[in-house]
């Protein structure tokens, strides 16, 4: 009979079922033995290819004939030979010479604005705004209104006054029973018994082995230290360094003349007399003296109170306090209801529950019952073989 692992025998609800690992056969490569004799380097191309004799291609281009002329070479191009520069005469200017001489006398002529402008005296405009002074009337005030003139008083009928009803409490007791209290009356009874079976923990006296499948299968390997590459020591070259470059050796300095600026010379005139900052506008329009208008305040029409302030408000003067009557509480007394009938504690769970016997996992034993230990593989899995009952012969 095929042997089974301890993980396959376990019935305690573990979902992990390891598969049997079959070691793959390792293919050992055969030792290389070189063939004796010389290697045939012939190919199919060399065997089937027929070579043909190739003749050189004849050049169709005619040979270049160099004509050697005796004499001096004329280096004048066709452009210079055909083009002749003409003497261009400069045309005379017909613009009359105009030499400007600045005047030496101060400019005193008046402008057109100064001749035509006549200053006028500015007169203030008349204000049409009504005065803010209160004018008291001389005629006595007429206080008659349309309401006072047209109003006709009528005699009102006497208002019907209802007498206030006096509260009279009822003599019958208050029925505080609700639909829930009438239909669902509490019954006194014993507490319900728990039908759950007692939890019996399976314990073992053997010491727990801290080894796992990972610890047994994967042993630590020795890792060799990494190789450190030796750095060669720097040896400076002997002798001095030549700092000459190709530019320093082949450069020939030339003496160049400084470029003369083509900008014309500035004929600036320097005046020694001080600058006059006056203009026509400043002379004809001097600043006027202006005064800021004062604030216009209205006279106070309502006189301030002279007596001492009375701190009574309208609410305080008209408020009448009343004595409060506490409202009677109609809340029922919280007293538990008692009944002489016993409490029916039968439930569907207690009537239909069928307790099941808790089975002990066979893997919890050192040797599972009904199995014989066979061997232990390289990964630490224990394999057991099931005991077959002996069959009696008839």
């Amino acid at each position: 009979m095929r042997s089974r692992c301890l993980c396959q025998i376990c019935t305690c609800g573990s979902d992990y079922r390891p598969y049997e690992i079959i070691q793959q056969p390792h293919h050992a490569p055969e030792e290389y033995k070189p063939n004796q004799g010389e290697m045939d380097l012939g190919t199919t191309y060399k065997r089937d290819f027929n070579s043909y004799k190739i003749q050189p291609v004849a050049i169709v281009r005619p040979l270049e004939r160099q004509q050697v002329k005796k004499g001096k070479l004329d280096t004048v191009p066709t452009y210079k030979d055909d083009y002749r520069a003409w003497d261009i005469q400069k045309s005379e200017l017909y613009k009359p010479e105009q030499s400007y001489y600045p005047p030496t006398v101060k400019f005193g002529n008046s402008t057109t604005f100064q001749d035509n402008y006549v200053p006028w005296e500015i007169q203030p405009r008349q204000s049409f705004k009504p005065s803010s002074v209160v004018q008291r009337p001389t005629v006595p005030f007429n206080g008659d209104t349309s309401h006072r003139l047209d109003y006709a008083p009528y005699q009102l009928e006497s208002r019907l006054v209802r007498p206030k009803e006096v509260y009279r409490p009822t003599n019958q007791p208050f029925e505080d029973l609700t639909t829930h209290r009438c239909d669902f009356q509490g019954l006194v009874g014993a507490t319900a018994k728990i039908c759950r079976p007692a939890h019996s923990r399976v314990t073992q006296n053997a010491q727990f082995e801290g080894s796992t499948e990972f610890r047994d299968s994967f042993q630590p390997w020795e890792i060799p230290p990494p190789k450190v590459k030796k750095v060669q020591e720097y040896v400076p070259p002997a002798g001095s360094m030549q700092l000459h470059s190709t530019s320093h050796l082949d450069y020939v300095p030339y003496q160049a003349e400084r470029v003369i600026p083509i900008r014309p010379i500035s004929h600036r005139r320097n005046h020694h007399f001080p600058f006059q900052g006056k203009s026509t506008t400043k002379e004809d329009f001097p600043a006027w003296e202006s005064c800021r208008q004062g604030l216009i305040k209205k006279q106070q029409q309502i006189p301030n109170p002279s007596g001492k302030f009375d701190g009574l408000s309208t609410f305080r003067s008209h408020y009448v306090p009343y004595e409060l009557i506490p409202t009677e509480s109609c809340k029922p007394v919280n007293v538990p209801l008692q009944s002489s009938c016993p409490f029916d504690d039968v439930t569907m769970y207690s009537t239909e529950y069928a307790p099941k016997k808790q089975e002990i996992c066979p893997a919890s034993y050192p040797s599972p019952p009904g199995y014989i230990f066979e061997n232990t593989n390289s990964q630490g899995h224990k394999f057991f073989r099931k005991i077959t009952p002996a069959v009696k012969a008839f």
Side-chain angles (χ1 to χ4, degrees), residues 96-160:
E97 294 184 2
Q98 191 175 16
S99 57
Y100 172 73
Y101 300 99
T104 56
V105 187
K106 184 180 178 182
F107 181 74
N109 297 333
S110 60
T111 60
T112 310
F113 180 80
Q114 292 178 350
D115 297 339
N116 299 337
Y117 177 75
V118 179
W120 297 88
E121 185 179 358
I122 299 175
Q123 298 179 359
R125 295 182 180 180
Q126 184 180 1
S127 177
F128 295 95
K129 183 179 179 181
S131 61
S132 59
V133 180
V134 180
Q135 297 179 2
R136 297 190 178 185
T138 55
V139 185
F141 177 70
N142 186 11
D144 295 333
T145 59
S146 57
H147 179 74
R148 292 181 180 179
L149 297 174
D150 301 337
Y151 178 73
Y154 295 95
Q155 187 176 2
L156 299 176
E157 298 179 358
S158 59
R159 189 177 180 183
L160 180 61

Side-chain angles (χ1 to χ4, degrees), residues 226-242:
K227 296 181 180 180
V228 181
K229 185 178 179 181
K230 294 183 179 180
V231 182
Q232 297 181 359
E233 186 178 358
Y234 173 72
V235 180
S240 59
M241 183 178 178
Q242 294 181 2

Side-chain angles (χ1 to χ4, degrees), residues 201-221:
R201 187 177 181 183
V202 180
T203 57
Q204 296 181 1
N205 297 328
Q207 188 177 3
F208 175 71
E209 296 180 359
S211 61
T212 58
E213 180 185 354
F214 183 81
R215 292 182 180 178
D216 297 342
S217 303
F218 300 96
Q219 301 296 334
W221 293 355

Side-chain angles (χ1 to χ4, degrees), residues 156-382:
L156 299 176
E157 298 179 358
S158 59
R159 189 177 180 183
L160 180 61
V161 180
R162 287 187 179 182
K164 189 176 181 180
E165 296 181 358
V166 182
Y167 174 72
R168 295 179 182 179
T170 58
N171 299 327
Q172 298 179 1
F174 178 72
E175 295 181 0
D176 56 346
L177 294 176
T178 59
T179 308
H180 181 78
R181 290 186 179 182
C182 293
D183 298 343
F184 302 95
Q185 297 182 2
L187 302 178
V188 180
T191 56
K193 296 180 180 180
I194 300 174
C195 303
R196 185 174 58 187
H199 177 66
S200 58
R201 187 177 181 183
V202 180
T203 57
Q204 296 181 1
N205 297 328
Q207 188 177 3
F208 175 71
E209 296 180 359
S211 61
T212 58
E213 180 185 354
F214 183 81
R215 292 182 180 178
D216 297 342
S217 303
F218 300 96
Q219 301 296 334
W221 293 355
E222 293 183 0
I223 301 174
K227 296 181 180 180
V228 181
K229 185 178 179 181
K230 294 183 179 180
V231 182
Q232 297 181 359
E233 186 178 358
Y234 173 72
V235 180
S240 59
M241 183 178 178
Q242 294 181 2
L243 301 176
H244 297 290
S245 62
T246 310
S247 175
H248 289 178
L249 297 175
D250 300 341
Y251 179 72
V252 179
Y254 294 96
Q255 293 182 0
E257 296 180 358
R258 191 172 181 179
V259 181
I260 302 173
I262 311 175
R263 184 177 57 185
I265 303 172
S266 176
H267 301 282
R268 189 174 180 182
R269 293 173 295 176
N270 297 326
H271 301 285
H272 301 286
F273 53 87
F275 175 71
Q276 295 180 359
K278 293 183 180 181
S279 61
T280 311
T281 308
K282 288 185 178 181
E283 292 178 355
D284 296 343
F285 296 94
W288 294 353
E289 295 181 0
S290 60
C291 298
R292 189 173 181 179
Q293 190 178 4
L295 296 175
I296 302 173
K297 294 183 179 180
K298 295 183 179 181
Q299 295 182 0
Q300 190 175 1
Q301 298 180 1
I302 303 175
N304 294 327
S306 58
K308 189 177 180 181
F309 175 69
D310 192 2
L312 288 176
S313 61
T314 310
F315 178 78
R316 291 183 179 180
S317 58
H318 295 282
Y319 177 71
V320 180
Y322 293 94
E323 186 179 357
L324 296 177
I325 301 173
T327 308
E328 186 178 356
S329 176
C330 302
K331 183 178 179 181
V333 183
N334 190 9
V335 179
L337 299 176
Q338 297 181 1
S339 177
S340 58
C341 300
F343 177 69
D344 187 9
D345 57 347
V346 180
T347 59
M348 295 176 63
Y349 178 78
S350 60
T351 54
E352 298 180 3
Y353 178 75
K356 296 180 181 180
K357 185 179 179 181
Q358 187 174 6
E359 298 179 357
I360 301 174
C361 180
S364 62
Y365 295 97
S367 178
Y371 292 89
I372 299 175
F373 176 74
E374 193 172 17
N375 58 356
T376 305
N377 63 352
S378 59
Q379 298 180 357
H381 290 269
K382 297 179 181 181

Side-chain angles (χ1 to χ4, degrees), residues 8-141:
Q8 299 175 350
I9 300 172
C10 178
T11 59
C12 59
S14 176
D15 297 333
Y16 175 71
R17 295 291 182 270
Y19 296 94
E20 184 178 358
I21 300 174
I22 301 173
Q23 189 174 6
Q24 299 293 334
H26 182 67
H27 177 70
E30 298 179 357
E31 186 179 0
Y32 173 73
K33 295 179 180 180
N35 297 327
Q36 297 179 0
E38 295 181 357
M39 183 177 179
D40 187 10
L41 300 176
T43 60
T44 312
Y45 180 78
K46 290 183 178 180
R47 185 184 62 189
D48 300 339
F49 180 73
N50 299 325
S51 59
Y52 295 95
K53 293 182 179 181
I54 302 173
Q55 297 179 359
V57 181
I59 299 174
V60 185
R61 186 178 60 181
L63 298 176
E64 184 179 358
R65 298 177 181 179
Q66 296 181 0
Q67 296 179 1
V68 180
K69 294 182 179 181
K70 297 179 180 181
K72 190 177 180 180
L73 178 65
D74 189 8
T75 58
V76 180
T78 310
Y79 180 79
K80 286 186 177 181
D81 192 12
D82 297 342
Y83 177 74
R84 302 297 178 183
W86 293 0
D87 295 335
I88 301 174
Q89 297 179 1
K90 191 174 181 181
S91 58
E92 297 179 359
L93 294 175
Y94 294 98
K95 182 180 179 182
E97 294 184 2
Q98 191 175 16
S99 57
Y100 172 73
Y101 300 99
T104 56
V105 187
K106 184 180 178 182
F107 181 74
N109 297 333
S110 60
T111 60
T112 310
F113 180 80
Q114 292 178 350
D115 297 339
N116 299 337
Y117 177 75
V118 179
W120 297 88
E121 185 179 358
I122 299 175
Q123 298 179 359
R125 295 182 180 180
Q126 184 180 1
S127 177
F128 295 95
K129 183 179 179 181
S131 61
S132 59
V133 180
V134 180
Q135 297 179 2
R136 297 190 178 185
T138 55
V139 185
F141 177 70

